[in-house]
Amino acid sequence: MPSLTRVEATARGASITVESYQVDLDLTGGGERFHSHVTIRFRATPGTATFAEVKPAKLLAVRLNGADLDPDALDDNRLPLTGLRAENTLVVEAEMAYSNTGEGLHRFVDPADDETYLYAMSFLDDVQRIFAAFDQPDLKASVTLAVTAPPEWTVASNAEVAASPSPGRWEFAPTAPLATYFFSLIAGPYHVRRDEHDGIPLGIYCRRSLAEHLDADAEEIFTVSRQCLDRFHQLFTERYPFGKYDQAFVPEFNAGAMENPGLVTFRDDYVFRSAVTDSQRELRATTIAHEMAHMWFGDLVTMRWWDDLWLNESFAEYLGTRVTADATRFDQAWTTFAMRRKAWGYAADQRPSTHPVAPQEVADAAQGLLNFDGISYAKGASVLRQLVAWLGDEAFLAGLNAHFAAHRFGNATLDDLLASLSTASGRDLSDWAERWLRRAQVNTLRAEVTVDADGRYSEVAVVQTAPESHPVLRPHRIGVGRYAVDGTRDRFEVDLDPGADGGRTVLHELTGAPAARLLLPNDGDLTFAKVRLDQASADAVPLVLPGLADPLARALLWSEALDAATDGERPVAGVVALIAAALPAETEVIITEDVLTLSRSLVDRYLDPAAREAALARISDACARLLADAAPGGSLQLAAARGLIAATIDADLLTGWLAGRAVPAGLAVDAELRWAVLRRLVVLGAAGEAEIAAEEAADPSAAGAERAARCRAALPDAAAKQAAWEIIVSNTELSNRLVEATAEGFWQPEQAELTAAYVERYFAEMPAVARLRTPWTADRVASLAFPRYAVAQPTREAAVALLARDDLTPGLRRVVTDADDDLRRALIARTAVAAAAA
């Protein structure tokens, strides 16, 4: 299928204007197909030609201005349209295929009760899997939908139901102008809860088997939604513009959520069926706020083309975190952002596939899909936070409101937004935008400190550097924190001038001041830059970190230590020692969870395998100490238990927990924790297929099926590995989530010898696998199935050989390029450790 190019989209956008879609879907047929009928009214330059897109199972009829067209004229997904008039009507009737990949109209049969659920995922160019369309973001039009479905079902879409003329028939009101990728629909026996706030009808949906869990959290979800709506109405002069605000939690969703106006869709993992930590609840809250921010950035004002993706995602990421921290009980959302989201952004920005936040050119929609990454989300949001620190909040918000007023229900570009912000602030943002938005890669800020004999600063400087491949220095406004051993802090802000002395900024404010025990550049996390402490401060971290009251400062110090080890500047063993010294005193659950997650990646890949068991023992011991002191039934206890499960090799302890023996008071060994324990036992060779089958029988849910698939792929058995590999490379009957779970469980650091032969098979077979599935699923499977623990030069050589081929999909090329770069960094880190030891 050809991907729509920017050149084609620009030409089509100049020649036609879409006025409306009238869509009629019949969902009463069999389990494989549904009937689609669409009438599109559009204006065009008379005599010109263009094309519409549709991906049918069978194209039944096409009529343009009353004349029948030959359905066989369909070229792949493109329907040629010639001899256009000033006013045109296109009618397309087709049989369409349901998907099991989370794209188009996804069909799911719940294993808990055999009920069928449908939902639409039209992003990025998949509305054409549901009905024919001019599928590009700047051809916005109103959609009027009618649906025929089993009368006992619930059906919802972007707009309110206008009429139900007969049982099983739903006719919806026309929507405001929408980009095609915002079309939304759910259909099935969904459970629904309703509310209303400030004149806006609210609804939340899930499948029936999750009803009791949604009901348990409904008030929290509605409260967060109400609080976020109120805060956005305080920030923006434009009220929420799309009538009702429904949120549907749907099965086997590919993304975290999708910002369809009027009917936002979320992965239903956010309907918690087991105990969760407060950081998981915070993630749900920030996701709700993120999608709500899109109602203005993305939905009301839509990017013209995918090169301005940041106008959607960077703003939603920034505002989602900001509004969550401002308006909800999750007031430490910026700590989570610093610890988790920015680590994602830093990693993405240092890979070979890095790209500017706002690239000059995105050639086609396929390339646009690849840019939904840590740069467009986390780096872009960090850049906006830096911009707010520089411009001031009042000027920033004034610029945003002017932008909405100028482009409401239309499309806009980077230049449009910069013009609004420049007018509001009185500042020329062209140089700022060139350095921050048009240039890739990340700066490093290093503290250089000299102290005199009296213990006072002779000189303190912050040196900004950039990689040789991307030699751009940027203006940074940062906080500088001086910390004593007892955790007390003195802080001030300073502007780093990229043109001053080769990026070296002397902090004259500190000359002659008493030296602090620890000096932290970028205290407060105002900018997007890697930080390196001076040596004395780095040495003091184990002493100072446990006593710091500010969780954001603790997060920044943990991030600095983890990043320095990732870069091979300090040994991984140092991170493990810091975990042993400081983690048992940690009180913030997000820091605990992310330190354990990120450190496990270092231990499993960046540390010499001979040292791995000892490192895991130290991490396991730290988790055990944290678990012993944590409040029963609290988030920290659960995070410590999960960390212990992942690191321990004590199979007797884990088997006892499954049997209810020696379980810490207050810890619920519920469905999710049981699966985590069982997965670790499987990896350790202490549980097998019989235990997996028994657990699956006890948990006959979609989540249980995914956990079972992950466990089966992790079995240390040659036959199990072969069966799992066949699912990864050839099975298209299983859903996206089951294939992904299998790929995720396949590689285990404890099973290097067992899986050695599959390293070569990955590079030989993955090109065909990538073409077997749709891009979103194919790329995800390719990433999860990469032999990430085969940290060796032959693996890199196999990757280089694969990348030399000219038949790779863009997604696979990017996956392998980035994964190979991760291997390169892991090998450097191992070499650095060996050199330090020598």
Side-chain angles (χ1 to χ4, degrees):
M1 180 194 75
S3 181
L4 183 69
T5 69
R6 179 178 182 169
V7 171
E8 291 170 329
T10 301
R12 184 164 65 177
S15 67
I16 72 168
T17 300
V18 185
E19 296 181 329
S20 67
Y21 291 90
Q22 187 168 344
V23 180
D24 197 321
L25 304 178
D26 187 339
L27 310 179
T28 59
E32 296 184 359
R33 296 183 180 183
F34 62 97
H35 189 271
S36 170
H37 185 285
V38 61
T39 300
I40 311 172
R41 292 179 172 84
F42 65 101
R43 290 181 281 118
T45 303
T48 59
T50 188
F51 60 90
E53 292 105 327
V54 63
K55 301 175 184 175
K58 183 178 182 181
L59 190 57
L60 300 175
V62 181
R63 288 182 296 280
L64 177 63
N65 297 327
D68 289 334
L69 302 185
D70 183 2
D72 291 337
L74 181 67
D75 183 8
D76 204 326
N77 69 318
R78 297 189 175 189
L79 190 63
L81 306 173
T82 59
L84 297 178
R85 303 172 184 172
E87 302 284 341
N88 300 274
T89 300
L90 174 65
V91 179
V92 181
E93 187 176 2
E95 289 182 6
M96 310 296 277
Y98 292 113
S99 84
N100 65 352
T101 61
E103 298 148 302
L105 198 56
H106 184 94
R107 182 177 185 271
F108 168 83
V109 178
D110 193 339
D113 55 15
D114 290 327
E115 295 282 8
T116 298
Y117 295 88
L118 311 176
Y119 65 86
M121 180 57 160
S122 303
F123 171 86
L124 170 143
D125 55 2
D126 278 328
V127 77
Q128 56 197 271
R129 296 179 182 274
I130 305 171
F131 56 86
F134 297 107
D135 205 0
Q136 63 188 67
D138 63 336
L139 290 176
K140 300 174 76 171
S142 175
V143 178
T144 302
L145 173 68
V147 174
T148 302
E152 66 275 14
W153 280 12
T154 295
V155 178
S157 188
N158 303 91
E160 292 273 16
V161 174
S164 296
S166 60
R169 182 70 174 175
W170 290 260
E171 295 178 354
F172 294 86
T175 70
L178 302 182
T180 48
Y181 72 96
F182 291 139
F183 173 77
S184 189
L185 169 69
I186 62 169
Y190 281 91
H191 173 70
V192 60
R193 293 286 300 270
R194 300 193 186 280
D195 197 3
E196 184 271 342
H197 181 66
D198 195 16
I200 301 170
L202 307 177
I204 53 177
Y205 299 80
C206 74
R207 48 198 164 96
R208 284 181 181 171
S209 63
L210 294 175
E212 65 175 302
H213 306 298
L214 183 70
D215 288 348
D217 275 0
E219 185 51 40
E220 179 176 304
I221 293 169
F222 280 132
T223 295
V224 168
S225 301
R226 292 189 292 260
Q227 291 168 332
C228 291
L229 276 169
D230 287 345
R231 184 60 178 147
F232 281 118
H233 286 161
Q234 293 168 358
L235 295 174
F236 302 148
T237 54
E238 174 84 33
R239 281 178 55 84
Y240 171 69
F242 295 105
K244 70 183 178 72
Y245 196 80
D246 287 343
Q247 300 172 97
F249 297 88
V250 297
E252 299 183 333
F253 202 60
N254 271 326
M258 180 62 204
E259 64 268 23
N260 315 299
L263 180 59
V264 180
T265 41
F266 298 80
R267 58 169 51 214
D268 64 11
D269 306 69
Y270 284 126
V271 179
F272 304 129
R273 67 196 193 108
S274 295
V276 294
T277 63
D278 262 1
S279 66
Q280 289 173 277
R281 293 186 178 278
E282 180 194 286
L283 175 59
R284 182 172 67 188
T286 54
T287 304
I288 289 170
H290 176 113
E291 302 310 319
M292 195 177 289
H294 273 308
M295 299 301 122
W296 288 266
F297 275 102
D299 297 7
L300 178 67
V301 181
T302 307
M303 63 194 170
R304 193 173 300 283
W305 182 246
W306 301 106
D307 50 1
D308 276 324
L309 169 66
W310 82 289
L311 290 174
N312 286 15
E313 298 304 343
S314 299
F315 277 87
E317 183 86 358
Y318 166 73
L319 288 163
T321 305
R322 171 176 169 162
V323 167
T324 301
D326 287 352
T328 77
R329 72 180 179 91
F330 303 105
D331 56 2
Q332 294 300 316
W334 284 117
T335 298
T336 304
F337 182 81
M339 192 77 204
R340 176 173 296 170
R341 304 299 282 182
K342 288 185 80 170
W344 178 38
Y346 290 140
D349 207 19
Q350 295 175 84
R351 290 187 171 124
S353 63
T354 186
H355 57 85
V357 173
Q360 290 278 8
E361 178 66 27
V362 172
D364 58 25
Q367 184 181 341
L369 179 61
L370 299 182
N371 287 350
F372 281 78
D373 58 15
I375 296 170
S376 296
Y377 285 74
K379 180 181 180 180
S382 302
V383 169
L384 290 173
R385 196 176 192 209
Q386 175 69 184
L387 180 62
V388 173
W390 187 50
L391 290 183
D393 204 44
E394 184 177 349
F396 178 72
L397 291 173
L400 299 191
N401 282 307
H403 180 70
F404 298 145
H407 304 287
R408 70 187 305 266
F409 294 118
N411 297 83
T413 65
L414 166 64
D415 289 341
D416 294 326
L417 178 66
L418 292 180
S420 296
L421 289 171
S422 294
T423 299
S425 65
R427 294 194 180 193
D428 181 359
L429 297 180
S430 56
D431 182 66
W432 177 89
E434 177 64 27
R435 292 174 183 270
W436 275 111
L437 301 178
R438 295 300 198 193
R439 304 287 187 92
Q441 260 282 358
V442 60
N443 297 124
T444 299
L445 307 180
R446 294 182 183 272
E448 290 186 354
V449 177
T450 56
V451 179
D452 64 21
D454 296 326
R456 295 181 176 274
Y457 289 125
S458 299
E459 184 182 77
V460 177
V462 176
V463 181
Q464 178 184 176
T465 60
E468 291 183 7
S469 59
H470 296 80
V472 58
L473 301 183
R474 299 177 173 91
H476 297 266
R477 173 162 290 181
I478 65 168
V480 178
R482 291 187 295 158
Y483 289 88
V485 173
D486 64 1
T488 56
R489 175 183 71 178
D490 176 65
R491 180 181 182 274
F492 64 96
E493 291 185 8
V494 63
D495 289 328
L496 306 183
D497 182 354
D501 194 19
R504 191 174 194 271
T505 301
V506 177
L507 307 184
H508 296 290
E509 300 93 330
L510 295 180
T511 302
R517 191 68 179 91
L518 184 151
L519 186 78
L520 177 59
N522 199 28
D523 193 33
D525 199 34
L526 294 180
T527 197
F528 185 82
K530 290 154 62 77
V531 168
R532 288 294 180 270
L533 304 177
D534 64 278
Q535 189 58 55
S537 293
D539 292 341
V541 168
L543 300 174
V544 177
L545 180 59
L548 291 184
D550 182 6
L552 180 55
R554 299 200 304 274
L556 293 173
L557 289 175
W558 277 112
S559 297
E560 192 270 354
L562 290 160
D563 189 64
T566 301
D567 284 352
E569 295 183 22
R570 296 188 208 135
V572 175
V575 172
V576 176
L578 185 60
I579 289 172
L583 193 69
E586 184 53 60
T587 58
E588 194 70 27
V589 65
I590 182 60
I591 296 177
T592 300
E593 289 175 326
D594 275 26
V595 165
L596 291 172
T597 298
L598 295 170
S599 64
R600 276 302 304 272
S601 177
L602 287 172
V603 167
D604 289 343
R605 305 180 65 215
Y606 286 64
L607 189 63
D608 188 286
R612 180 175 178 271
E613 185 172 333
L616 287 180
R618 297 194 74 181
I619 293 173
S620 176
D621 178 68
C623 291
R625 286 187 285 146
L626 182 62
L627 179 61
D629 294 337
S635 290
L636 204 58
Q637 182 192 50
L638 181 55
R642 289 171 175 169
L644 177 60
I645 290 166
T648 188
I649 60 172
D650 187 345
D652 289 340
L653 171 71
L654 298 181
T655 302
W657 281 12
L658 286 183
R661 297 192 305 271
V663 178
L667 182 66
V669 185
D670 52 25
E672 287 300 322
L673 202 68
R674 289 185 65 84
W675 279 117
V677 169
L678 182 58
R679 182 181 178 189
R680 185 61 181 159
L681 287 171
V682 165
V683 170
L684 295 174
E689 173 57 35
E691 288 82 3
I692 297 171
E695 199 67 36
E696 189 175 21
D699 181 16
S701 65
E706 288 180 37
R707 309 304 184 263
R710 192 174 294 119
C711 285
R712 288 191 173 97
L715 285 166
D717 173 80
K721 291 298 181 188
Q722 177 61 31
W725 191 255
E726 289 304 317
I727 289 173
I728 293 167
V729 300
S730 63
N731 192 308
T732 59
E733 299 301 316
L734 291 177
S735 75
N736 54 328
R737 295 289 284 273
L738 291 175
V739 176
E740 290 168 12
T742 302
E744 185 179 1
F746 186 86
W747 300 101
Q748 301 293 333
E750 293 87 350
Q751 299 170 1
E753 184 175 345
L754 177 63
T755 55
Y758 291 94
V759 175
E760 181 179 344
R761 290 189 64 178
Y762 176 91
F763 295 105
E765 298 175 35
M766 202 49 59
V769 175
R771 291 188 293 272
L772 187 67
R773 297 189 172 95
T774 54
W776 194 318
T777 300
D779 297 352
R780 178 74 174 150
V781 170
S783 179
L784 290 169
F786 187 87
R788 54 193 177 276
Y789 302 120
V791 182
Q793 191 58 34
T795 312
R796 293 208 62 208
E797 292 168 0
V800 170
L802 177 61
L803 293 171
R805 294 173 52 164
D806 61 6
D807 63 340
L808 304 188
T809 64
L812 179 59
R813 183 171 297 281
R814 178 161 177 175
V815 164
V816 174
T817 298
D818 287 348
D820 172 62
D821 191 62
D822 287 345
L823 289 179
R824 176 189 65 81
R825 293 163 68 89
L827 283 169
I828 289 173
R830 289 187 181 185
T831 303
V833 170

